[in-house]
Amino acid sequence: DAVAYVLRCFVDDDITHVENRIDPLADAEIVETELMLADLDSLEKRVVANEKKAKGGDKEAKLHVELMNIALGYLREGKPARIATADGKISDEDMKAWEGLNLLTSKPVLYVCNVEEASAASGNEYSNAVAERAKAEGAQWVTISARIEEEVAQLPPADRDEYLETLGLEEPGLSRLIRVGYTLLDLITYFTVGPKETRAWTITRGTRAPAAAGVIHTDFEKGFIRAETISYDDYVSLNGEQGAKDAGKMRLEGKEYVVKDGDVMHFRFAT
């Protein structure tokens, strides 16, 4: 999961702003403060119950109390909980429990800068300021024009590329947003291809073949035998599965295989 801050980065006298100003950094600060207050309220309520369990010898509750107190320390200083991971306060073995706290401010951040049409390709002073903040925080950002996206959505597919080209854009902002989101969450895609349909499946980078198969169905993971695998480039350049097979580009991968972005896979499993 991630938190997306959609920020106004354009001037338009016909569209009012609740604060009567255009300051995306200040807007981001307001949202972040509200999220920190929500986390603070949630933790202060939960930590009491967990402290009682910890005193009774509950090891899981003891760990939760330790992690909650780390988060509370940052939040009470006006810092988001994710700073704790950046500071190395959360060990790898405790990361699952940390994520289980479901803190809004522990999630990675994506800044979405909504700019006017003329700035969609290069950004403007407002989006540039947001980009600098994102770089300093190790966050991700993307610049899009909501007005352009609205117009693109209404055009026939055949006319979209030409329209984007006139604006100096290679692709819709939605495509950039999705790609940046995948980068932020460290996600990749693999494909399954059959005579009736082609499907894309999203997994975390570093996932091994059995777990990737489990995204389709748990039986695929439990009974995993092997995965017939073709790289995306080979699949496209060799005109599909048969061409890849004829060229010796289809591989049989086992349980330790780490799935690559774009892999075309067919799973063999025992029932």
Side-chain angles (χ1 to χ4, degrees), residues 174-188:
L174 179 59
S175 298
R176 298 197 305 276
L177 178 60
I178 292 171
R179 188 166 57 252
V180 171
Y182 265 57
T183 299
L184 182 66
L185 298 175
D186 205 20
L187 301 176
I188 63 171

Side-chain angles (χ1 to χ4, degrees), residues 63-64 67 93-102:
L63 173 59
H64 285 166
L67 297 176
E93 62 183 14
D94 291 340
M95 188 57 67
K96 186 174 181 179
W98 172 257
E99 293 172 350
L101 297 179
N102 293 317

Side-chain angles (χ1 to χ4, degrees), residues 106 137 146 187 195 204 211 245 259 266:
S106 71
E137 295 178 354
L187 301 176
T204 303
K245 285 182 177 179
V259 178
H266 180 73

Side-chain angles (χ1 to χ4, degrees), residues 109-141:
V109 172
L110 170 59
Y111 293 101
V112 182
C113 303
N114 182 18
V115 301
E116 72 279 7
E117 294 107 308
S119 299
S122 58
N124 58 27
E125 61 178 307
Y126 301 114
S127 63
N128 291 340
V130 174
E132 288 302 316
R133 171 176 174 143
K135 291 177 185 177
E137 295 178 354
Q140 294 287 331
W141 77 95

Side-chain angles (χ1 to χ4, degrees), residues 29-267:
E29 290 288 351
I30 290 171
V31 175
E32 183 117 287
T33 298
E34 291 176 348
L35 295 181
M36 285 192 289
L37 290 173
D39 279 346
L40 190 61
D41 181 61
S42 172
L43 286 177
E44 288 180 338
K45 290 177 180 177
R46 287 188 284 164
V47 73
V48 175
N50 277 271
E51 284 175 340
K52 291 180 181 179
K53 292 180 181 179
K55 289 178 181 178
D58 189 319
K59 293 183 179 179
E60 184 178 15
K62 183 179 179 181
L63 173 59
H64 285 166
V65 169
E66 292 174 357
L67 297 176
M68 287 179 179
N69 282 328
I70 290 174
L72 283 168
Y74 281 90
L75 292 167
R76 286 166 179 162
E77 292 178 359
K79 300 177 181 178
R82 62 179 174 274
I83 302 299
T85 55
D87 287 347
K89 299 294 185 180
I90 312 300
S91 66
D92 291 342
E93 62 183 14
D94 291 340
M95 188 57 67
K96 186 174 181 179
W98 172 257
E99 293 172 350
L101 297 179
N102 293 317
L103 301 176
L104 295 171
T105 62
S106 71
K107 303 179 187 299
V109 172
L110 170 59
Y111 293 101
V112 182
C113 303
N114 182 18
V115 301
E116 72 279 7
E117 294 107 308
S119 299
S122 58
N124 58 27
E125 61 178 307
Y126 301 114
S127 63
N128 291 340
V130 174
E132 288 302 316
R133 171 176 174 143
K135 291 177 185 177
E137 295 178 354
Q140 294 287 331
W141 77 95
V142 63
T143 300
I144 66 172
S145 168
R147 183 164 294 178
I148 290 176
E149 295 306 301
E150 181 182 9
E151 293 174 354
V152 167
Q154 295 174 358
L155 288 172
D159 297 336
R160 292 174 185 173
D161 289 344
E162 182 179 352
Y163 173 66
L164 291 171
E165 186 177 351
T166 63
L167 298 169
L169 299 172
E170 296 181 356
E171 61 183 350
L174 179 59
S175 298
R176 298 197 305 276
L177 178 60
I178 292 171
R179 188 166 57 252
V180 171
Y182 265 57
T183 299
L184 182 66
L185 298 175
D186 205 20
L187 301 176
I188 63 171
T189 300
Y190 77 88
F191 300 94
T192 53
V193 179
K196 293 184 178 180
E197 67 173 0
T198 296
R199 291 285 302 272
W201 306 90
T202 301
I203 57 175
T204 303
R205 190 180 302 277
T207 299
R208 298 186 189 278
V215 173
I216 302 174
H217 197 287
T218 53
D219 287 348
F220 285 22
E221 180 173 8
K222 293 176 182 177
F224 179 89
I225 298 174
R226 64 179 182 273
E228 297 175 355
T229 307
I230 304 170
S231 72
Y232 178 82
D233 289 340
D234 287 339
Y235 190 91
V236 172
S237 64
L238 297 169
N239 298 315
E241 181 178 341
Q242 191 58 51
K245 285 182 177 179
D246 293 343
K249 294 297 185 179
M250 190 189 78
R251 313 183 308 273
L252 297 180
E253 302 289 0
K255 294 182 178 180
E256 296 304 310
Y257 177 68
V258 176
V259 178
K260 305 295 189 300
D261 192 26
D263 275 351
V264 179
M265 311 188 78
H266 180 73
F267 296 106

